[in-house]
Amino acid sequence: MRLTGKIMAVIAMIAMPLTADAQIAVTDSIIPERIVVKSSQYGITSLNNLDTYLSGYDFKGMGLYYSHENFRDARTGSYRWKYQTVFSGSLGYAELGNNTQIAGLATYQWSGYHPFTVSSRLKLLAGMQIQLEGGALYIPNNGNNPVSIKLRTALAATGMAIYHFPVKGKDWVARYQIDIPLAGVMFAPEFGQSYYEIFNEKKSDGTVAFSNPFNCPSWKHTLSLDIPIRYKRHSTTLRLSYVADFYQSEINDIRCHIYRHAFTFGFVKTILKVKEENKIKAYSPY
């Protein structure tokens, strides 16, 4: 009988988008650990890049920005945790006089949070994060060293505040997140050292450096607002976000900063969510 009940629950979840009046049977097969909130964001970003390996001046410009987030609950032992993965990337074009720079960067973040409920509307989360980042700054007419490769990984502290507030009977959600790298390793050639020497002549000693808040003070702010939207019998959630990403380093006599301010929009999708119009109130990890 238990097996039959679980099969019927799965059939009900599959049929849910097809019938607005379907009744949802909640069993052990519908658990928070299997509910994932996904969001893809698209937008534009401003750029302010300095890398003394290439040039001693700031390049400023604009670019395209993309991010994809998965957020879910997970149970580890007797404690409740929340997991988040974020992939983000930008491709931009910057200028300084007649010189141009092409900047491409991609970042992957995996975070684990422990939540602290302050009130029915406010929740605080604190945890740790693993960061992986790669990319390049490219100046076509820069002579011997036209490219600066960016490769790094770091362990970061991360925190989040989630606030629910009603607007015309709808549940709006505001989130603020901050990520601060604490320790890591990065690819860091010395000033004037060419990639030909590093990769062809095997002179790679000292090109891997340890990073910390003193030689690589960096942080990232993310502010987002989830707005429920309903058109006729269809409902969705619009997400508006602002991302301020500040990367800085001073290693091996090379100073670098990459500042990005991104404004994005996208839509939120909840997998295995129980619809609000049914008897069971919709569940969300937020």
Side-chain angles (χ1 to χ4, degrees):
M1 294 299 293
R2 291 182 179 178
L3 180 60
T4 303
K6 292 184 178 181
I7 294 174
M8 293 301 295
V10 172
I11 295 174
M13 293 300 295
I14 295 174
M16 183 174 59
L18 303 178
T19 88
D21 298 325
Q23 299 300 313
I24 304 300
V26 177
T27 69
D28 291 339
S29 63
I30 304 176
I31 55 177
E33 288 83 349
R34 295 181 58 188
I35 299 177
V36 182
V37 177
K38 298 176 177 286
S39 176
S40 294
Q41 302 287 111
Y42 307 87
I44 60 174
T45 180
S46 65
L47 303 174
N48 184 326
N49 301 331
L50 167 70
D51 192 325
T52 56
Y53 182 82
L54 299 175
S55 171
Y57 301 97
D58 290 10
F59 282 73
K60 298 180 180 180
M62 301 291 292
L64 301 176
Y65 189 91
Y66 169 80
S67 69
H68 179 79
E69 178 197 17
N70 288 348
F71 193 91
R72 66 183 179 91
D73 278 336
R75 185 178 295 280
T76 304
S78 60
Y79 298 96
R80 173 67 63 185
W81 291 87
K82 296 180 183 293
Y83 294 158
Q84 179 198 51
T85 59
V86 178
F87 171 81
S88 61
S90 65
L91 180 62
Y93 179 87
E95 295 180 325
L96 175 64
N98 294 326
N99 291 330
T100 61
Q101 180 191 83
I102 299 173
L105 294 169
T107 305
Y108 176 81
Q109 301 170 188
W110 185 94
S111 308
Y113 294 96
H114 185 64
F116 302 89
T117 300
V118 179
S119 68
S120 59
R121 293 187 180 182
L122 178 61
K123 185 176 295 182
L124 302 179
L125 289 77
M128 300 299 294
Q129 182 181 94
I130 298 174
Q131 299 179 342
L132 301 173
E133 184 172 77
L137 304 179
Y138 173 57
I139 302 178
N141 58 347
N142 211 42
N144 292 331
N145 294 331
V147 178
S148 178
I149 297 175
K150 302 299 176 186
L151 293 172
R152 72 178 184 93
T153 181
L155 180 67
T158 179
M160 187 184 299
I162 303 175
Y163 184 72
H164 295 254
F165 59 99
V167 177
K168 294 183 179 180
K170 300 294 184 179
D171 182 32
W172 292 33
V173 182
R175 282 197 307 162
Y176 171 74
Q177 179 176 341
I178 182 169
D179 311 316
I180 303 176
L182 300 178
V185 294
M186 59 184 294
F187 176 67
E190 296 182 0
F191 183 80
Q193 185 179 21
S194 68
Y195 292 124
Y196 179 84
E197 294 177 295
I198 297 173
F199 298 111
N200 290 75
E201 298 182 1
K202 309 300 181 182
K203 297 180 180 180
S204 59
D205 293 343
T207 57
V208 177
F210 290 95
S211 61
N212 56 67
F214 298 99
N215 62 10
C216 191
S218 306
W219 57 93
K220 179 181 179 181
H221 304 270
T222 304
L223 180 63
S224 67
L225 179 64
D226 289 359
I227 305 173
I229 298 174
R230 186 172 181 86
Y231 176 73
K232 295 182 179 179
R233 300 185 65 180
H234 303 282
S235 60
T236 186
T237 300
L238 172 67
R239 175 171 293 176
L240 305 176
S241 299
Y242 164 67
V243 181
D245 195 349
F246 302 97
Y247 168 80
Q248 302 175 118
S249 66
E250 187 169 355
I251 298 177
N252 288 344
D253 298 321
I254 295 177
R255 289 187 299 114
C256 175
H257 73 233
I258 300 174
Y259 302 149
R260 291 179 291 177
H261 296 269
F263 296 90
T264 67
F265 75 95
F267 294 94
V268 180
K269 182 178 182 181
T270 304
I271 308 302
L272 290 182
K273 176 181 177 181
V274 180
K275 290 186 176 181
E276 294 182 0
E277 56 262 37
N278 289 282
K279 292 183 178 180
I280 307 302
K281 184 179 180 180
Y283 175 84
S284 171
Y286 291 134

